[in-house]
């Protein structure tokens, strides 16, 4: 007896309710040197998304779920997490500089025409000016100390006085 069976697999597109963003990327404003974090999350029912980072360090794409990027150690880190009802992508810029200003991230859920984006704004919190002023004052007093000690050594040392006479 010859029998033939056929298995039919139907792939249906995700429901429109699954094509939404639970967590949309938001603009971030930070002081120079502080970390910046961008997040994008979609429902677990349709967890595929690409979170792209366009910055001074280059352009990087994080594909979720289960993606991971650590291209520049200690500076840029990207990860994907599966939370309760959400596939969450996170980009972390660990220490910002002025060159990171206007860095842009774009989140794109698979089969969703909407692609929310966010921008990084970096500002100066004047700590760099305080450091510059402190170093200038410290340098001035350091030079006074060196010349004061040099003068004292010249006055007390007979050998040095003979050498310069």
């Amino acid at each position: 007896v010859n029998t033939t069976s056929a298995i039919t697999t139907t792939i249906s597109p995700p429901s429109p309710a699954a094509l939404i963003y639970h967590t949309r990327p938001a603009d971030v404003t930070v002081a120079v040197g502080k970390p910046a974090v961008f997040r994008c999350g979609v429902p677990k029912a349709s967890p595929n998304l690409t979170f792209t980072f366009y910055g001074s360090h280059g352009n990087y794409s994080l594909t979720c779920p289960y993606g991971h990027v650590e291209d520049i150690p200690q500076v840029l880190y990207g990860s994907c997490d599966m939370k309760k009802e959400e596939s969450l992508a996170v980009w972390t810029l660990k220490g910002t500089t002025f060159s990171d200003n206007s860095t842009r991230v774009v989140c794109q859920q698979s089969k969703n025409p909407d692609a929310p984006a966010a921008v990084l704004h970096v500002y100066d919190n004047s700590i760099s000016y305080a450091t510059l002023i402190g170093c200038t004052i410290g340098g001035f007093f350091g030079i006074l100390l060196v010349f004061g000690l040099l003068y004292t050594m010249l006055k007390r040392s007979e050998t040095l006085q003979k050498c310069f006479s």
Side-chain angles (χ1 to χ4, degrees), residues 5-103:
S5 63
I7 298 174
T8 306
T9 304
T10 305
I11 299 173
S12 58
S15 71
L19 293 178
I20 60 170
Y21 293 94
H22 281 255
T23 305
R24 295 177 77 86
D27 289 351
V28 176
T29 301
V30 296
V32 173
K34 299 293 180 185
V37 179
F38 293 98
R39 291 180 175 83
C40 181
V42 296
K44 205 173 194 176
S46 181
N48 297 327
L49 70 100
T50 302
F51 200 23
T52 307
F53 179 94
Y54 300 98
S56 62
H57 304 286
N59 300 334
Y60 302 95
S61 289
L62 180 61
T63 304
C64 296
Y66 313 114
H68 168 85
V69 175
E70 188 169 8
D71 189 70
I72 304 169
Q74 307 302 318
V75 176
L76 182 63
Y77 179 75
S79 64
C80 296
D81 295 318
M82 289 300 280
K83 300 290 181 183
K84 286 182 184 177
E85 295 298 319
E86 182 177 41
S87 173
L88 184 68
V90 180
W91 277 117
T92 304
L93 190 57
K94 296 181 183 179
T96 55
T97 62
F98 281 121
S99 64
D100 295 318
N101 198 33
S102 299
T103 290

